[in-house]
Amino acid sequence: QVQPVESGGGLVQFGGSLRLSCAGSGRTFGSYAMGWFRQAPGKERELVAAVPWSGGDPFYADSVKGRFVISRDIAKNTVYLQMNSLKPEDTAVYYCKSTYSGYVPTGGNWGQGTQVTVSS
């Protein structure tokens, strides 16, 4: 299974925007969705957003609803995360990973992720 590669992170000021890309995000056998996760220092990894392969309604964590938008380009085999109105609490390493039903991450290694830092 090809591991997807995350990119697009960086340093941005409070209220700014970034768009993350997850290239090579083809469907893992048996998976239900493709998700973006994040892990801040000292905290557990959490699901931020996910888009079902079926094209159903995406999932968003309450903390990012109304600010983040997940989308996918099937032809480019890429999933995006548009992040707007960024806050310092969005600072984290962001990862993409396929998930099973219930948005449980599939097995295998995580990628290197992409660092997002929001300054106040």
Side-chain angles (χ1 to χ4, degrees):
Q1 180 69 30
V2 176
Q3 190 165 283
V5 178
E6 305 94 343
S7 64
L11 174 63
V12 63
Q13 290 187 334
F14 176 86
S17 297
L18 284 173
R19 188 176 82 155
L20 306 183
S21 298
C22 173
S25 52
R27 184 171 186 171
T28 297
F29 180 77
S31 64
Y32 170 76
M34 195 70 189
W36 279 100
F37 297 78
R38 68 185 180 188
Q39 187 167 22
K43 295 188 177 181
E44 292 189 355
R45 191 173 285 148
E46 62 173 350
L47 177 65
V48 174
V51 56
W53 294 114
S54 65
D57 292 338
F59 165 87
Y60 295 100
D62 288 343
S63 58
V64 306
K65 276 182 184 175
R67 300 189 298 122
F68 290 12
V69 178
I70 188 169
S71 63
R72 58 183 181 145
D73 187 328
I74 296 174
K76 294 183 178 180
N77 205 22
T78 300
V79 174
Y80 303 98
L81 186 67
Q82 177 67 43
M83 306 187 297
N84 302 316
S85 303
L86 283 162
K87 306 175 181 180
E89 51 264 44
D90 294 318
T91 295
V93 179
Y94 285 71
Y95 304 87
C96 61
K97 194 105 166 73
S98 55
T99 79
Y100 295 119
S101 179
Y103 302 115
V104 175
T106 58
N109 295 328
W110 291 80
Q112 297 209 349
T114 186
Q115 175 71 48
V116 171
T117 303
V118 184
S119 62
S120 57

